[in-house]
Amino acid sequence: MWTTVGLYQAEGYSVPQFHGKWPFARFLCFEEPASALASLLNGLACLLMLLRYRSAVPRQSPMYQTITAFSLVSLNAWFWSTVFHTRDTYLTEKMDYFCASAVILYSIYLCCVRTLGLRRPAISSMVGVLLILAFTSHVSYLTFVSFDYGYNMAANASIGMVNLLWWLCWCWLNRRILPYWWKCVLVVLLLHGLALLELLDFPPLFWVLDAHAVWHLSTVPVHFLFYSFLIDDSLHLLNTEKPGVKLD
């Protein structure tokens, strides 16, 4: 690989990709050191804030179990992201992609429970079943039909856009009631805005830092703001269910 890269550069050509991936300099067992480190930092931030959430919010809060489950799904995704960027194999690639999709779909469920399901549990239950079916179909297609990267990206982007618009509409409706609404708006805008970093797709700096690693590194601080919103909102639900408050 490095011989090919050297020949390309010697002839004045741009750095080539190999099987759709840039060439990276390994560090110990890490094939993509920066991305592996970024994924690990995201996982640690998620774990730290989950522990803070559980210490700050009583179990009686209506969203406690749903948010805890979301955190576990996210931790699983960051674990497999770290493993995949450490060692790219058939299994680790599939687990990275499938677990990332699970987080996106569960984020829809989290949004549904918070905005509709607290007053109408049947709706969130039906949405949950539909999301499970969608995830099963998505994984089955990628596993048994075609592992289509374009389809996977389009599917995740579409679901993410639904999540974005849903949260933004809810925040707008509750902006006069919930003083922390801006945290949610900022989180969803940051997450979708930072994802655009993937479009840069430049050759890795020093053969280590590429656009994917920059994207993952940029999302680490977002966990702290997101869980700050979740803590504020969970305490609000626990302590204030007064007339005029729009739980949904």
Side-chain angles (χ1 to χ4, degrees):
M1 180 184 73
W2 290 113
T3 300
T4 303
V5 171
L7 290 172
Y8 266 70
Q9 292 185 310
E11 294 297 326
Y13 295 104
S14 58
V15 176
Q17 290 185 327
F18 298 83
H19 301 287
K21 298 183 65 173
W22 295 111
F24 290 93
R26 291 193 185 192
F27 176 73
L28 300 178
C29 63
F30 300 96
E31 292 183 355
E32 300 177 28
S35 291
L37 176 61
S39 297
L40 178 62
L41 291 176
N42 274 280
L44 291 175
C46 184
L47 177 60
L48 174 63
M49 295 310 295
L50 170 61
L51 295 175
R52 181 174 298 179
Y53 177 87
R54 290 170 66 89
S55 66
V57 178
R59 291 178 177 270
Q60 294 76 19
S61 181
M63 290 295 295
Y64 184 92
Q65 299 298 334
T66 305
I67 291 173
T68 299
F70 172 77
S71 301
L72 295 177
V73 173
S74 298
L75 282 171
N76 178 65
W78 288 119
F79 168 79
W80 282 108
S81 177
T82 304
V83 172
F84 169 64
H85 291 303
T86 299
R87 181 66 175 171
D88 182 356
T89 68
Y90 176 85
L91 174 63
T92 60
E93 181 184 44
K94 298 298 183 293
M95 293 303 295
D96 177 45
Y97 278 76
F98 296 162
C99 293
S101 297
V103 173
I104 297 172
L105 287 168
Y106 199 97
S107 66
I108 290 283
Y109 180 71
L110 175 69
C111 181
C112 178
V113 172
R114 177 57 185 94
T115 59
L116 298 174
L118 294 180
R119 290 195 181 276
R120 305 175 183 87
I123 294 180
S124 59
S125 297
M126 288 188 293
V127 170
V129 171
L130 291 175
L131 292 174
I132 291 173
L133 292 174
F135 179 71
T136 303
S137 300
H138 181 69
V139 171
S140 298
Y141 176 80
L142 293 175
T143 303
F144 302 114
V145 180
S146 171
F147 196 82
D148 188 330
Y149 295 94
Y151 155 74
N152 182 72
M153 180 177 293
N156 288 336
S158 299
I159 298 169
M161 188 58 62
V162 171
N163 193 40
L164 167 69
L165 296 176
W166 197 336
W167 275 119
L168 289 181
C169 289
W170 178 80
C171 289
W172 178 258
L173 293 174
N174 288 273
R175 68 191 185 282
R176 300 186 186 279
I177 300 170
L178 306 177
Y180 50 83
W181 66 274
W182 62 271
K183 295 181 181 180
C184 182
V185 171
L186 188 56
V187 165
V188 294
L189 291 179
L190 279 174
L191 287 177
H192 288 78
L194 292 172
L196 297 177
L197 290 171
E198 279 272 69
L199 300 178
L200 298 178
D201 200 27
F202 52 83
L205 302 175
F206 309 107
W207 308 116
V208 173
L209 188 67
D210 68 332
H212 189 78
V214 172
W215 170 41
H216 278 343
L217 286 170
S218 67
T219 60
V220 175
V222 181
H223 292 281
F224 297 93
L225 182 60
F226 182 48
Y227 277 88
S228 175
F229 161 74
L230 293 177
I231 290 172
D232 289 344
D233 193 53
S234 295
L235 293 176
H236 166 80
L237 290 173
L238 183 67
N239 298 324
T240 57
E241 293 190 20
K242 301 176 181 178
V245 174
K246 294 182 180 179
L247 297 180
D248 54 350

